[in-house]
Amino acid sequence: MKNFFKSIFIIFLVTSLFSQKAFTDETKKLLSTDWSFKGFFGKFDRASLQRGYQVYTEVCASCHSIKYLSYRNLSEKGGPEFSEEQAKAIAANFEVTDGPNDDGEMFTRPAKLSDKFVKPYKNVKEAMASNGGAYPPDMSVLVKARSGGVDYIYSILLGYDDPPGDISLEDGVYYNAHMYGNKIAMPKPLSEGLVEYNDGTEATEEQMAKDVVTFLAWAAEPHLEARHKIGFKAIIYLIILSFLVYFSMKRLWSRIEPKV
Amino acid sequence: MSAHNYVPSSKLGKWFNDRLPLLSLSSHIREYPTPKNLNYWWTFGGILTFCLVAQIVTGVILAMHYVAQADLAFESVEHIMRDVNYGWLIRYFHANGSSMFFLAVYIHIFRSMYYGSHKSPREVIWIIGMIIYFLMMMTAFMGYVLPWGQMSFWAATVITNLFSAVPFVGESITNWLWGGFAVGNPTLTRFYSLHYLLSFLIFGLVILHIWALHIPGNNNPIGIELKKPSKDTVPFHPYIVIKDLFALLIFLILFAFFVFYSPNLLGHPDNYIEANPMVTPNHIVPEWYLLPFYAILRSVPDKLFGVIAMFASVFVLVILPWLDTSKVKSAIFRPLYKQFYWILVLDVLILGYMGAMPAEGTYLLIARVATTYYFVHFLVILPVLGYKEKTLPVPLNITEPVLGGSPNPDMVKKKELYD
Amino acid sequence: MSDQKKLKRRDFLFTASYAIGAVGVGAVVWPLVDQMNPDKSVKASASIEVDVSSIELGKSITVLWRGKPVFIKRRTQQEISEARAVKLEDLKHPEKDEDRAKDPEWLIMVGVCTHLGCVPLGNKGEYNGWFCPCHGSHYDTSGRVRKGPAPKNLEIPKYEFINNNTIKIG
């Protein structure tokens, strides 16, 4: 029995060791901050999500799509939780293509809650052509698509610096301390006071980075809070049931002669 | 199977059972004599059965929502994660369930190797098990392609490209597998079909695996053949059922930690990038459970021989019952074998780690050493050990004192010490 | 006496395990069943808003709502009077026209025959309403079944005028 638990512990250890699969390169250690959604009881900070949405819309959305989000997600539980009216109003700011109408023509109309977030470019090729050949990645699951996750994206946003002497940069390429290879095609997106927050929070670079990354974390994992909640209940339940079954087992086996 | 004189208690039961003996089968399973000294390493068979059923159930449900088409696959997975009721739960369960399935299968296989469950008269159980393991790897590989992320696409490309190593017909075989000149939509759709099919083939083989097991009955930690039933055995129900249930619950706690708190820990971030045939990821890595074979494949500088080495490493396991020549089953009584066993475990872990590293420099050197040692263990050490090793005295039965040397089953039976 | 107690405790243990186990099984089964219920993207399209300003008197349009056709008819005074004049005893499925069309000018119905689901044709049939070609059901100017195998009148969905020109259905 003891051996069994020892082995489970070893398995835990081994998996966490092997999760450091990505081999290290020359880039600096990542920056981090106190993410409210980390840990067993982590939740999203609603105000931060709403601010993050504002940063995304005003700063990032001109180049980065977030195509798997729908406008109704903005008012659903577990996210920024705008009211339904607010979400409808947000959606109505954007034009979507619909159709064909009865004449066979495509037409544009204001977006509804059921529409997906509008993309800045029609397709990947247009996005690349408009950005010097580099594709601004879609951000729906970007947090999950990068090793280092939220810390990585946070570090990139705050990692712009003057290049050290021995690095020369081509046109349209910038130095970033945390980017793989230290060169990034995106110019520094954030600067002090760039966004005027609706809730009056001071828009420092760190604040905007934290808010927009929180927003992206939610965009990638909209059910995180439900997952944590159900997970907690499931594990407590399993522990309780394990105890009950364990004692039932002992009781049952005590009927037969003690084994060697 | 022992002669079973089960008579159903109800008339309807008897009528039905005379036509399809399901009630007799149920009774057989309930009464099935199991050694009473089985330790918790024996619970993984039950755990594996749970994993298989769970994967099939969650898989069939995912198939109600997933779209197997190159332009829509990734999006359909996001649809499952975001819109389908509890879709995120079912998807994470299925993805992590695959890892848990392999974790359990490795423990199960290594348990067999330690206690000699692969030896006579259980060779066919072992071989069926190896076929199941091979099918599991194929199923998992094809399943990983379905989300159509970068790793899906490029792992598919790398592994299917292996077949081009076959002399003369290699390229034709590869194009045949792809349904084209590269991995693409035809590849995706056929992998979907086969992923679904192979899962049920595994199910059928598991039934054969258990049937073959029920002929000689379970092995046990001291590796001696027991008369069944006897005072050394217990009926499967309720004693083993409840023990398997307890072990399953502990296993599920571990499973729950992954699903609910770290669902992407065992995966690779690159698979959240949509497949792009023009851009190769920096490091192409398979899922963790395939890493040892990946390391072996890359150890050999020649493409064809690398493939041969990789398949040989599985084949060498298949013929294990004939490579391991020892008459004594359990490693408890084989002190030398025990040490080599743990070295093998370490060797496989090292191979796994190397599989995740780039195939260059020190990593490659270590992988090559580990690969060589792997084959040396099976092809040289085991056969020699069977003849040369001085084993400890083996007990007569679970409660009786020792026999001495390697037990001759006939000699033991003649002792008539069971009744 | 202590044997009795032992028995009771043992039974309780097993009973408790079974009971709690059953709760767990239920909790596991529910998501597996619920996943087949309409998902969030389907539920998001559960209501539509229709601009009816261009519909002339006596004409109708058909829109798609929840995967089914919905007839939106702007009735003439004659059609309304005809509908109101029908005696309830003559109806297979008695319903007052006033209850079916709150604003009598607008008749909004799910265009699915209540017999076996075909789409009835407008401006046809012996009652000046709709006629279903599949098995010959006739509906009147209020969409009520007057003849044929259909058991019920055409369904009235939940709807409201959110302004003078727009109806929200569902």
Side-chain angles (χ1 to χ4, degrees):
Chain A
M1 255 307 278
K2 224 174 47 161
N3 282 327
F4 186 76
F5 285 115
K6 246 201 299 187
S7 330
I8 297 287
F9 176 72
I10 291 174
I11 288 163
F12 240 141
L13 219 66
V14 166
T15 23
S16 34
L17 243 134
F18 280 175
S19 68
Q20 261 78 272
K21 279 202 298 243
F23 80 124
T24 51
D25 53 19
E26 308 305 305
T27 48
K28 270 168 62 180
K29 187 161 142 49
L30 294 177
L31 305 169
S32 187
T33 182
D34 55 331
W35 304 108
S36 67
F37 47 89
K38 292 273 184 173
F40 288 125
F41 305 106
K43 283 188 179 39
F44 288 114
D45 177 341
R46 310 266 160 258
S48 182
L49 285 178
Q50 295 198 2
R51 289 195 299 267
Y53 169 72
Q54 193 181 348
V55 174
Y56 165 74
T57 310
E58 294 182 18
V59 181
C60 323
S62 49
C63 301
H64 289 275
S65 58
I66 196 163
K67 61 185 178 180
Y68 296 122
L69 276 188
S70 305
Y71 290 108
R72 59 178 163 85
N73 296 140
L74 294 172
S75 61
E76 282 167 359
K77 208 161 161 300
E81 292 184 7
F82 289 105
S83 71
E84 204 179 292
E85 288 73 41
Q86 282 175 311
K88 260 196 200 157
I90 288 173
N93 285 327
F94 300 96
E95 290 278 306
V96 291
T97 309
D98 200 354
N101 58 23
D102 291 331
D103 295 319
E105 299 281 317
M106 305 302 280
F107 58 94
T108 58
R109 58 160 177 79
K112 297 187 282 205
L113 288 179
S114 55
D115 288 315
K116 291 248 169 32
F117 270 56
V118 163
K119 299 191 283 194
Y121 303 109
K122 288 198 283 289
N123 49 57
V124 173
K125 289 238 169 83
E126 192 190 15
M128 285 171 74
S130 308
N131 288 282
Y135 171 60
D138 180 272
M139 306 225 273
S140 308
V141 288
L142 192 61
V143 161
K144 291 196 283 192
R146 296 290 182 270
S147 192
V150 288
D151 290 339
Y152 173 77
I153 298 183
Y154 183 71
S155 304
I156 294 273
L157 289 175
L158 300 175
Y160 285 86
D161 241 326
D162 291 320
D166 53 337
I167 296 185
S168 66
L169 298 169
E170 302 82 32
D171 264 346
V173 172
Y174 308 87
Y175 177 81
N176 189 294
H178 298 281
M179 181 71 183
Y180 181 73
N182 290 125
K183 292 186 184 171
I184 190 169
M186 172 174 74
K188 182 163 188 258
L190 298 176
S191 53
E192 187 87 15
L194 182 63
V195 168
E196 200 180 304
Y197 276 134
N198 289 332
D199 68 0
T201 310
E202 192 194 347
T204 61
E205 274 183 49
E206 285 82 9
Q207 183 66 49
M208 287 188 286
K210 183 178 184 184
D211 290 333
V212 80
V213 173
T214 301
F215 173 75
L216 291 182
W218 165 77
E221 289 271 21
H223 299 284
L224 179 139
E225 291 186 358
R227 176 160 58 81
H228 283 178
K229 202 168 105 176
I230 297 176
F232 180 71
K233 288 191 198 157
I235 290 175
I236 296 295
Y237 169 84
L238 284 170
I239 291 174
I240 293 174
L241 190 61
S242 301
F243 271 105
L244 282 175
V245 171
Y246 178 74
F247 289 115
S248 301
M249 177 176 71
K250 284 288 177 220
R251 191 56 63 89
L252 205 58
W253 277 77
S254 68
R255 287 183 195 163
I256 55 181
E257 56 204 293
K259 66 176 180 20
V260 184
Chain B
M1 258 176 280
S2 46
H4 221 76
N5 300 314
Y6 171 71
V7 177
S9 45
S10 71
K11 270 177 76 176
L12 176 63
K14 188 165 188 317
W15 178 88
F16 183 79
N17 203 53
D18 284 344
R19 287 150 179 73
L20 179 66
L22 283 183
L23 294 172
S24 297
L25 177 65
S26 162
S27 164
H28 159 85
I29 293 173
R30 291 168 75 96
E31 302 301 325
Y32 173 65
T34 315
K36 65 181 180 185
N37 64 338
L38 295 187
N39 59 36
Y40 281 95
W41 300 115
W42 261 266
T43 56
F44 282 87
I47 288 172
L48 282 167
T49 310
F50 171 82
C51 285
L52 178 62
V53 170
Q55 289 297 96
I56 288 178
V57 167
T58 51
V60 166
I61 288 175
L62 287 173
M64 294 182 181
H65 305 277
Y66 170 75
V67 179
Q69 203 281 340
D71 300 321
L72 300 172
F74 192 92
E75 185 180 329
S76 74
V77 173
E78 281 305 306
H79 164 70
I80 290 169
M81 295 293 288
R82 293 165 191 277
D83 295 328
V84 173
N85 302 325
Y86 295 105
W88 56 270
L89 177 59
I90 298 170
R91 192 272 176 115
Y92 276 149
F93 190 104
H94 194 76
N96 285 285
S98 174
S99 282
M100 296 304 287
F101 202 170
F102 276 94
L103 175 66
V105 98
Y106 284 134
I107 294 174
H108 184 71
I109 292 174
F110 275 95
R111 182 271 297 164
S112 303
M113 292 202 291
Y114 190 84
Y115 294 106
S117 307
H118 53 281
K119 292 168 163 307
S120 173
R122 298 181 178 83
E123 302 95 321
V124 173
I125 306 171
W126 173 263
I127 291 175
I128 296 177
M130 278 297 130
I131 299 175
I132 292 172
Y133 175 51
F134 183 70
L135 286 182
M136 274 175 67
M137 291 195 280
M138 289 191 57
T139 308
F141 166 70
M142 291 190 294
Y144 194 65
V145 175
L146 302 181
W148 212 240
Q150 274 287 67
M151 272 312 164
S152 306
F153 184 91
W154 289 99
T157 301
V158 165
I159 298 303
T160 45
N161 256 322
L162 292 180
F163 288 90
S164 61
V166 174
F168 308 116
V169 290
E171 196 181 320
S172 308
I173 294 180
T174 313
N175 288 352
W176 174 78
L177 275 177
W178 285 336
F181 304 105
V183 168
N185 194 57
T187 326
L188 175 61
T189 51
R190 65 191 52 182
F191 276 10
Y192 186 44
S193 171
L194 293 175
H195 179 76
Y196 211 115
L197 172 70
L198 256 50
S199 310
F200 287 97
L201 286 188
I202 290 173
F203 189 84
L205 281 171
V206 165
I207 292 176
L208 292 183
H209 189 68
I210 297 174
W211 185 3
L213 170 69
H214 280 217
I215 308 294
N218 296 67
N219 189 17
N220 65 84
I222 58 175
I224 59 168
E225 295 303 306
L226 305 176
K227 189 165 187 239
K228 304 169 173 86
S230 72
K231 61 176 166 48
D232 289 338
T233 66
V234 290
F236 189 75
H237 180 69
Y239 298 99
I240 306 299
V241 168
I242 199 166
K243 191 167 179 181
D244 277 356
L245 177 63
F246 173 66
L248 176 63
L249 289 171
I250 303 296
F251 182 81
L252 286 177
I253 294 175
L254 179 66
F255 197 164
F257 269 109
F258 282 118
V259 169
F260 292 103
Y261 291 107
S262 259
N264 295 298
L265 181 68
L266 300 171
H268 197 288
D270 276 1
N271 224 29
Y272 278 104
I273 303 174
E274 295 182 52
N276 184 351
M278 310 284 253
V279 175
T280 310
N282 289 325
H283 302 107
I284 300 175
V285 238
E287 286 286 85
W288 68 267
Y289 38 80
L290 299 179
L291 288 174
F293 299 105
Y294 197 54
I296 293 175
L297 172 73
R298 297 184 310 176
S299 292
V300 183
D302 181 86
K303 186 167 163 189
L304 177 61
F305 284 108
V307 175
I308 291 176
M310 188 177 74
F311 283 113
S313 66
V314 180
F315 182 69
V316 117
L317 282 170
V318 174
I319 58 173
L320 178 63
W322 293 277
L323 293 173
D324 185 357
T325 50
S326 168
K327 292 282 185 291
V328 174
K329 286 200 175 67
S330 174
I332 293 179
F333 308 107
R334 301 180 62 189
L336 267 185
Y337 173 76
K338 194 192 283 194
Q339 292 184 28
F340 282 112
Y341 172 88
W342 287 112
I343 297 176
L344 177 72
V345 170
L346 186 63
D347 183 65
V348 170
L349 287 173
I350 290 173
L351 277 172
Y353 195 80
M354 292 305 129
M357 298 295 118
E360 52 199 33
T362 328
Y363 297 128
L364 186 58
L365 180 62
I366 297 175
R368 286 180 170 157
V369 170
T371 301
T372 312
Y373 182 78
Y374 178 91
F375 285 105
V376 164
H377 172 93
F378 286 101
L379 296 172
V380 175
I381 295 176
L382 285 194
V384 167
L385 220 48
Y387 292 116
K388 294 289 187 186
E389 182 179 27
K390 185 157 191 330
T391 58
L392 300 175
V394 176
L396 278 168
N397 56 36
I398 291 174
T399 46
E400 292 296 323
V402 299
L403 176 64
S406 26
N408 182 330
D410 294 315
M411 195 170 98
V412 164
K413 271 188 202 142
K414 283 188 194 130
K415 296 251 168 183
E416 284 174 310
L417 277 162
Y418 298 122
D419 297 310
Chain C
M1 205 32 66
S2 77
D3 265 347
Q4 271 280 66
K5 260 220 208 115
K6 267 200 190 142
L7 203 73
K8 273 213 179 99
R9 230 186 305 144
R10 178 172 57 201
D11 279 344
F12 173 73
L13 188 55
F14 294 155
T15 317
S17 304
Y18 284 133
I20 296 194
V23 167
V25 169
V28 162
V29 165
W30 172 243
L32 301 180
V33 169
D34 191 33
Q35 54 83 22
M36 278 173 71
N37 271 327
D39 65 48
K40 295 205 293 186
S41 60
V42 163
K43 289 205 279 220
S45 318
S47 42
I48 60 168
E49 289 169 15
V50 187
D51 180 354
V52 297
S53 55
S54 55
I55 305 177
E56 289 160 22
L57 203 57
K59 295 267 186 273
S60 82
I61 63 167
T62 306
V63 295
L64 196 65
W65 172 71
R66 293 191 183 173
K68 293 176 282 205
V70 171
F71 303 146
I72 301 176
K73 176 134 193 197
R74 192 168 168 205
R75 297 192 295 183
T76 60
Q77 192 49 53
Q78 193 197 355
E79 286 167 331
I80 298 170
S81 318
E82 220 177 294
R84 301 257 157 123
V86 174
K87 290 205 275 284
L88 282 184
E89 308 88 72
D90 295 338
L91 292 171
K92 189 197 267 193
H93 176 194
E95 270 187 329
K96 289 213 199 116
D97 181 69
E98 295 90 327
D99 294 330
R100 290 173 59 79
K102 295 266 174 344
D103 176 349
E105 196 183 349
W106 293 100
L107 180 63
I108 296 157
M109 311 181 292
V110 180
V112 172
C113 183
T114 58
H115 180 229
L116 289 173
C118 296
V119 181
L121 304 166
N123 296 322
K124 293 229 163 29
E126 295 164 15
Y127 294 83
N128 278 329
W130 287 263
F131 171 72
C132 184
C134 289
H135 309 98
S137 296
H138 298 254
Y139 297 88
D140 65 15
T141 55
S142 183
R144 294 173 297 201
V145 58
R146 303 298 292 275
K147 189 174 170 188
K152 286 195 152 56
N153 303 333
L154 292 177
E155 185 193 331
I156 309 288
K158 171 172 159 236
Y159 70 90
E160 61 175 331
F161 270 92
I162 56 177
N163 61 48
N164 279 342
N165 293 329
T166 319
I167 309 178
K168 177 175 159 182
I169 307 178

